Amino acid sequence: MLLDKEAQLTQNSYYEASVTRPAPSPALMGRVSADVCVVGAGLAGLSAALELRAKGYSVAVIEAKTVGWGASGRNGGQAIVGYASDEAIETQFAPEACKRAWNITVEALQLIRQRIADHAIDCDFVPGYMSMAVNEKKGRQLAQATADIQKRYGYEMQTIAAPDIKSWIASDRFHSGAFDPQSGHLHPLKYTLGLAQAARAAGVQIFENSPVVEIVRGAKPLVKTKQGEVVCDFVVLAGNVYLDAYGKAVAPELNKRIMPVGTYIVATESMGKERADALIRQRSAVCDTNFVLDYFRPTADHRMLFGGRVSYSSATPVNLIGSMRKRMLDVFPQLSDLDVPYAWGGFVDITMNRGPDFGRLGTNMYYLQGFSGHGLALTGMAGKLVAESIAGQAERFDLLAKIKHHPFPGGPLMRTPALVLGMLYYQLKDLL
Ligand SMILES: Cc1cc2nc3c(=O)[nH]c(=O)nc-3n(C[C@H](O)[C@H](O)[C@H](O)COP(=O)(O)OP(=O)(O)OC[C@H]3O[C@@H](n4cnc5c(N)ncnc54)[C@H](O)[C@@H]3O)c2cc1C
């Protein structure tokens, strides 16, 4: 079961080791009334809660475990413009709608900066993100994509030509790249806990250790846990891949369109400021352009935080630290003297086309899922758009809700083998 597999991935996280959590919020007991009930205290749910509260709604957030327990508290910390795949949008939308969809992701980056400033969230934000190509062919594709984005959306990125690459990154692995000064990176668990604190201060009620097991739909939905229930006017489902792990009566129609894919991260011991400064210019976040990508960045306390690999079987890879350390040393062999004390991971909610999957069930239940591994920034806007929609301004929510999705072939039982075959194809392409 997903949650049992997940338990192994949560125990050795650098993020959990580097925060002091506040005392847990109480579990939901008895009956509570709220205008809106949000299921899930990750970035999507907390963002929705903050935005709704700012519009005057009373909000209850119900979390099965603790704030930021899911992907939001465990991710690579890379806040990047755009979508996991722009293809879903560009093949389905007219150019003007594509531009509006792109602008939502630019606003997502501004929203992070604004929230950090408004709520004084200390989360180690560093601007700057590099996309790196591992060979000449991928370098040409990246340069073309960068030029296209500039032309179509007016979004400025700096091309890093092959002869300059070594002045940007101390690695032989990369051919060329592109630098984006607006994207960046942060400590995601500190950020998520900061949003929760801001939400509480604004009057949002957060209930932890309260799995939602059933939702009785209707004009006044009833969101039920084992010991309590919230009666509300609207529900926002922001449960990532876990939503139906606690009860099939929550929203069974949703999990057909997403599939949990494991991805993993290690963090080294601190290497000291001078050494970390010399690895990556401006201490930016970095991703390569492979389909099964490596993503990495220095932390505020001068560790290398290196993510990558994927697991489609949802089983944790054997020798996780060893295999991730090897990937890191392929990029930075000069880090071979560093211990790797932390390794963890989590599941991303990928859709078939990698586009986000937002929408409604009936008129008063909203869902936000399908971030496909690219949700750190976009979850903020997902919450903002759902709040706009509940308040009667549905235009931007409806734009993204128009993205068409297909269920994984074979449904939940067969989707893994089907996906593994598809991924093997893309992994082979990464080698070309
Ligand atoms: C290892 C890893 C690395 C990643 N790296 C990046 C990155 O560098 N950049 C990037 O943009 N994205 C990255 N992502 C993706 C990003 O983290 C997610 O897209 C984003 O955090 C999703 O937020 P969320 O709020 O939808 O889900 P989550 O943070 O998973 O929150 C969902 C919450 O809902 C709760 N919940 C679920 N069901 C129920 C229920 N029935 N009752 C009550 N509560 C429930 C869960 O317990 C959970 O806390 C990464 C993901 C992982 C796992």
Side-chain angles (χ1 to χ4, degrees):
M1 195 181 143
L2 192 64
L3 289 171
D4 300 332
K5 289 168 180 158
E6 187 86 50
Q8 305 162 34
L9 294 176
T10 56
Q11 284 160 10
N12 192 21
S13 150
Y14 159 69
Y15 296 131
E16 287 288 352
S18 53
V19 298
T20 309
R21 280 181 175 269
S25 299
L28 179 68
M29 298 285 195
R31 180 174 266 219
V32 166
S33 294
D35 295 330
V36 186
C37 180
V38 176
V39 180
L43 287 167
L46 291 169
S47 173
L50 258 180
E51 295 288 334
L52 284 157
R53 190 70 205 103
K55 291 183 185 301
Y57 293 90
S58 61
V59 184
V61 177
I62 316 294
E63 166 56 49
K65 299 207 177 254
T66 51
V67 166
W69 171 87
S72 299
R74 283 186 249 159
N75 61 60
Q78 306 207 356
I80 310 170
V81 76
Y83 297 89
S85 162
D86 297 323
E87 206 178 310
I89 289 167
E90 288 173 0
T91 54
Q92 294 188 27
F93 286 3
E96 186 273 334
C98 288
K99 183 157 188 189
R100 281 196 289 138
W102 175 268
N103 287 343
I104 286 171
T105 75
V106 179
E107 190 176 330
L109 300 175
Q110 292 156 359
L111 188 60
I112 287 178
R113 285 170 170 83
Q114 185 195 320
R115 283 180 171 163
I116 290 173
D118 287 354
H119 307 297
I121 302 176
D122 175 12
C123 62
D124 311 331
F125 180 77
V126 176
Y129 163 72
M130 282 190 242
S131 192
M132 290 290 184
V134 295
N135 58 35
E136 191 180 350
K137 182 177 164 202
K138 286 176 190 287
R140 276 199 309 275
Q141 289 166 347
L142 177 60
Q144 185 60 54
T146 307
D148 284 351
I149 284 171
Q150 197 151 335
K151 189 164 158 218
R152 268 184 273 160
Y153 307 135
Y155 189 80
E156 298 283 341
M157 282 188 278
Q158 180 178 347
T159 298
I160 305 172
D164 300 331
I165 194 79
K166 289 283 174 52
S167 71
W168 286 83
I169 188 161
S171 171
D172 289 333
R173 183 156 161 76
F174 303 107
H175 171 269
S176 53
F179 176 70
D180 170 5
Q182 293 191 57
S183 298
H185 61 98
L186 49 70
H187 186 307
L189 184 55
K190 286 185 183 173
Y191 181 61
T192 308
L193 293 174
L195 288 189
Q197 181 50 36
R200 282 190 193 98
V204 170
Q205 296 187 80
I206 300 180
F207 298 96
E208 290 179 290
N209 298 306
S210 305
V212 171
V213 293
E214 184 184 354
I215 299 180
V216 182
R217 302 182 191 188
K220 280 276 200 191
L222 206 52
V223 178
K224 292 184 160 192
T225 66
K226 286 210 170 113
Q227 290 164 313
E229 59 191 23
V230 179
V231 60
C232 54
D233 296 318
F234 295 94
V235 177
V236 177
L237 298 169
N240 194 354
V241 291
Y242 313 106
L243 208 49
D244 70 345
Y246 299 98
K248 298 290 169 211
V250 178
E253 57 272 70
L254 289 184
N255 91 331
K256 300 184 191 89
R257 296 203 300 265
I258 53 169
M259 134 138 209
V261 171
T263 169
Y264 308 96
I265 305 181
V266 286
T268 66
E269 64 181 311
S270 176
M271 69 187 93
K273 179 173 186 316
E274 203 176 319
R275 213 172 147 191
D277 283 353
L279 283 182
I280 303 166
R281 196 195 282 189
Q282 295 187 29
R283 297 177 69 112
S284 303
V286 183
C287 265
D288 68 33
T289 61
N290 284 342
F291 192 79
V292 179
L293 48 80
D294 288 333
Y295 50 95
F296 48 92
R297 64 187 185 88
T299 61
D301 57 355
H302 318 301
R303 300 163 193 274
M304 175 51 64
L305 192 142
F306 197 97
R309 286 206 61 149
V310 284
S311 160
Y312 303 106
S313 66
S314 68
T316 305
V318 194
N319 187 14
L320 182 58
I321 287 194
S323 61
M324 290 300 299
R325 184 170 181 274
K326 183 180 174 314
R327 286 182 87 105
M328 178 183 78
L329 295 182
D330 286 347
V331 177
F332 295 119
Q334 64 271 47
L335 302 186
S336 65
D337 60 315
L338 296 179
D339 274 349
V340 179
Y342 298 107
W344 69 98
F347 292 102
V348 297
D349 47 347
I350 65 162
T351 55
M352 279 277 277
N353 61 19
R354 308 290 185 275
D357 183 19
F358 303 168
R360 294 178 189 78
L361 303 174
T363 53
N364 56 3
M365 275 178 64
Y366 287 76
Y367 61 89
L368 305 169
Q369 63 172 13
F371 294 98
S372 301
H374 196 102
L376 177 47
L378 188 60
T379 42
M381 283 307 288
K384 189 168 178 178
L385 301 191
V386 92
E388 284 174 6
S389 182
I390 287 174
Q393 293 284 316
E395 203 192 12
R396 299 205 297 172
F397 182 85
D398 285 346
L399 174 71
L400 295 188
K402 276 196 192 108
I403 299 170
K404 288 193 194 71
H405 291 279
H406 296 289
F408 280 92
L413 281 180
M414 285 303 292
R415 65 189 173 183
T416 302
L419 191 81
V420 169
L421 283 177
M423 294 296 145
L424 283 175
Y425 166 75
Y426 284 109
Q427 281 171 24
L428 283 173
K429 274 183 70 176
D430 280 349
L431 299 174
L432 298 177

